Amino acid sequence: MNRRHFVQSSLAAAVAYALPPRLYALDGAASQAAGGLAAVKLDGSPTVIEQAAVKELKESLRGPLLLAGDPGYDESRRVLNRSIDKRPALVVQPTGVADVRNAVTFARDRDLLVAVKCGGHSFGGKSTCDGGLQIDLARLRGVRVDPLSRIAWVEGGSLLGEIDHEAMAQGLVTTTGTVSHTGVGGLTLGGGFGRLARRYGLAIDNLRSVDIVTADGRYLHASGKENPDLFWGVRGGGGNFGVVTGFEFGLHPMQREVVAGNVVFPLDRARELLEFYADYSASAPQELYVDAILSAAPGGKPGVFVLNTCYSGASGDAERVLAPIRKLGKPIADSIGPQDYVAVQRMNDNADPRSVGTYLKSGFIGGFRKDLVDAIVDAYQPHPERATMLFFQHGGGAVSEVAADATAFPHRYATHNMLTLVSWPLELDRTPHVDYLRGSWAKLEPFTRGYYTNEVADEAQSVVDENYQGNLARMRELKRKYDPKNLFRLNANVVPA
Ligand SMILES: Cc1cc2nc3c(=O)[nH]c(=O)nc-3n(C[C@H](O)[C@H](O)[C@H](O)COP(=O)(O)OP(=O)(O)OC[C@H]3O[C@@H](n4cnc5c(N)ncnc54)[C@H](O)[C@@H]3O)c2cc1C
């Protein structure tokens, strides 16, 4: 070996050493893993994937197959909640349905643990995993709108902002969530609340059909007419029934300008403002969406109480509808005014826990009981070392006009999603912050009935089961039909009947 080759190969060895090992072993079983890729099976047991099989998978894909150390691997494995730090053995980034089918078939044949990622917003980190195969749909993005039939065809890895942007360009909308970089996949399959839900129903209520790759690798179309059982199940069943590669949404005509913004008050007015919010949000017209947020940043600065509003009805009615808020006295800030709907949909894009650890608990309430106000004032305690937030997302209206068993989402009684969240700098120990939240939630949970499956974190299976309420038995039958080995289990899991 000449000197040039020596330097090059030493450099390559040093680089390889510095990178996370690509072919490695779990539990020190190095010899068994020699020549293979250590991975984790569905039941949590270790396995080794032969190099030849990895190569074969790679060759079957148009999109990349990423292993630890590859550029892009870390971006795929990470989710928004930075306290989740998991490392899949393999990451497939499909560019189309064929890649999704090959990835699903590969995982199923080897009983590999599977995670499916769209926008990566799962609070509990269900879209990533240790040692399994992650299907990251980041390359499967795109929206096509037909203004005549008022339909949007949305690829399975798209983000909400893409729908809002394309649809509004044609004077059309559908219900999406309040942060534009949330994934269409996760948000829709669990239900999908947002600023227009009280007018047009949940995201699932606007869904016309899906294209889905099921656990057996089949590519199915599900709608009211074709595979209607599956179509029922995906509307609220989360990722339990397969990888959705395409969504078809119905759209509604709407003007671009809405009257929206935040009114900010000092937190010490929380009791009086919560009592106001209880009545005001209950009697709101369907065109009005109003969230209440108690928020305190770390550092000990005084907290705030925010009313986040969006009135999407006729602009001439906005002032009358919002007048009760104007009578609440002088706020710290008031940004309510005519705004571009798509810009409003992006206004919370930076208010997320991107660089911190986060833990949350949430539950639906059906009507805002006055004694809940006492419980909140008691339970909500700002702390200088963490951000604390208690948030009511406004539901009701058209959401409640759909029967509890019309889709797999049973929580039609929900007037609000009550969500409490704590975040802390990653270098701090999570324990006191998580303990605070659990203690605080213990005082609030008795007021809730069921919770949003999209906010599932570490709940016991019995709690997850109970949460599907009267729909559980039907979902378990469906799971037996479409995913009998429970390949898609990293979600609010439905255990096959
Ligand atoms: C900042 C923030 C704001 C939010 N705002 C709202 C809101 O306004 N309204 C609301 O209803 N919810 C909201 N949520 C909750 C949100 O609905 C869930 O976090 C949801 O899971 C996010 O979807 P995702 O695709 O980004 O997540 P991911 O973490 O990518 O996926 C979550 C799960 O969804 C499944 N999944 C995703 N895509 C597919 C697919 N194509 N096929 C099959 N399964 C799939 C998988 O099981 C995956 O584990 C918010 C969350 C955050 C963090």
Side-chain angles (χ1 to χ4, degrees):
M1 187 187 290
N2 65 30
R3 192 180 139 69
R4 201 171 119 251
H5 277 119
F6 176 76
V7 170
Q8 275 176 351
S9 56
S10 305
L11 196 64
V15 169
Y17 185 75
L19 291 172
R22 293 167 56 122
L23 300 172
Y24 65 105
L26 293 177
D27 302 321
S31 55
Q32 290 167 32
L37 183 67
V40 169
K41 294 174 79 164
L42 281 172
D43 62 4
S45 61
T47 184
V48 175
I49 308 170
E50 331 78 80
Q51 248 177 324
V54 176
K55 186 165 174 275
E56 205 174 305
L57 173 64
K58 193 178 173 73
E59 284 168 0
S60 76
L61 304 169
R62 264 193 76 229
L65 171 68
L66 306 176
L67 306 182
D70 285 339
Y73 170 85
D74 281 332
E75 200 183 328
S76 281
R77 75 179 181 85
R78 285 207 179 104
V79 291
L80 193 72
N81 182 355
R82 282 293 196 258
S83 54
I84 312 269
D85 185 19
K86 297 194 171 171
R87 293 172 179 275
L90 312 124
V91 175
V92 173
Q93 287 186 341
T95 55
V97 173
D99 283 358
V100 174
R101 295 182 72 184
N102 291 343
V104 167
T105 304
F106 183 87
R108 191 206 55 231
D109 288 350
R110 288 164 183 79
D111 287 338
L112 285 181
L113 186 65
V114 173
V116 180
K117 180 180 175 191
C118 179
H121 276 213
S122 159
F123 287 100
K126 300 289 181 193
S127 47
T128 186
C129 60
D130 274 326
L133 185 151
Q134 184 195 43
I135 301 175
D136 174 10
L137 301 171
R139 288 173 192 254
L140 214 63
R141 290 189 176 153
V143 175
R144 184 167 67 84
V145 170
D146 177 3
L148 291 181
S149 59
R150 294 180 180 163
I151 287 193
W153 285 274
V154 180
E155 291 200 58
S158 305
L159 304 182
L160 300 181
E162 296 166 65
I163 302 186
D164 291 334
H165 182 71
E166 293 298 333
M168 190 39 104
Q170 311 284 353
L172 297 166
V173 289
T174 193
T175 301
T176 59
T178 56
V179 170
S180 82
H181 47 78
T182 309
V184 175
L187 179 124
T188 303
L189 296 172
F193 288 84
R195 292 186 173 91
L196 302 178
R198 292 173 44 73
R199 277 186 88 172
Y200 301 125
L202 298 172
I204 48 170
D205 300 331
N206 294 285
L207 197 59
R208 301 276 182 88
S209 72
V210 294
D211 294 325
I212 183 168
V213 175
T214 47
D216 53 9
R218 280 188 301 161
Y219 177 51
L220 300 176
H221 187 69
S223 67
K225 290 193 178 135
E226 221 173 311
N227 299 304
D229 58 347
L230 186 55
F231 188 53
W232 178 86
V234 295
R235 287 176 294 161
N240 266 290
F241 301 107
V243 183
V244 174
T245 55
F247 295 87
E248 180 189 356
F249 289 100
L251 303 172
H252 310 269
M254 198 180 92
Q255 77 290 354
R256 186 172 265 275
E257 191 176 274
V258 293
V259 178
N262 288 320
V263 197
V264 184
F265 298 97
L267 186 62
D268 57 18
R269 290 186 62 191
R271 175 182 293 279
E272 163 212 350
L273 292 168
L274 279 167
E275 282 167 359
F276 164 81
Y277 179 70
D279 293 336
Y280 183 63
S281 61
S283 58
Q286 296 198 351
E287 293 83 1
L288 177 65
Y289 169 88
V290 55
D291 291 349
I293 304 150
L294 287 75
S295 174
K301 276 203 244 156
V304 290
F305 185 104
V306 182
L307 291 173
N308 176 262
T309 63
C310 178
Y311 181 73
S312 60
S315 59
D317 295 336
E319 270 314 307
R320 177 182 51 78
V321 171
L322 295 166
I325 295 182
R326 306 284 193 210
K327 291 183 189 144
L328 285 172
K330 194 169 160 32
I332 299 170
D334 179 352
S335 65
I336 295 184
Q339 304 212 37
D340 180 314
Y341 173 71
V342 179
V344 171
Q345 287 286 82
R346 289 200 288 248
M347 74 192 219
N348 292 338
D349 277 10
N350 293 325
D352 61 54
R354 216 169 283 245
S355 58
V356 292
T358 305
Y359 187 75
L360 102 158
K361 288 282 179 192
S362 69
F364 290 121
I365 59 169
F368 203 116
R369 279 167 46 186
K370 286 280 156 67
D371 51 347
L372 173 58
V373 176
D374 295 327
I376 291 170
V377 173
D378 180 31
Y380 183 76
Q381 289 161 14
H383 187 283
E385 278 189 346
R386 56 181 168 242
T388 41
M389 194 172 86
L390 195 143
F391 173 77
F392 287 93
Q393 180 157 39
H394 203 182
V399 175
S400 306
E401 288 166 8
V402 179
D405 61 356
T407 66
F409 179 92
H411 311 282
R412 298 292 178 171
Y413 51 84
T415 57
H416 301 81
N417 184 15
M418 176 167 66
L419 188 150
T420 177
L421 183 142
V422 62
S423 19
W424 61 91
L426 278 176
E427 63 274 14
L428 295 185
D429 176 17
R430 74 198 293 266
T431 318
H433 309 299
V434 171
D435 286 351
Y436 154 75
L437 197 87
R438 288 190 177 137
S440 165
W441 185 245
K443 297 173 184 164
L444 302 177
E445 194 177 12
F447 295 88
T448 65
R449 185 175 150 216
Y451 67 95
Y452 193 16
T453 50
N454 275 3
E455 281 144 16
V456 71
D458 48 8
E459 288 75 12
Q461 185 62 47
S462 58
V463 177
V464 174
D465 285 351
E466 198 184 333
N467 195 46
Y468 286 115
Q469 300 177 5
N471 291 336
L472 178 67
R474 193 167 164 193
M475 293 181 79
R476 292 193 62 194
E477 280 303 325
L478 264 184
K479 186 78 173 173
R480 186 165 66 92
K481 179 171 172 189
Y482 289 102
D483 185 13
K485 280 164 85 177
N486 204 1
L487 185 67
F488 301 109
R489 63 177 60 195
L490 293 181
N491 42 46
N493 197 225
V494 177
V495 179

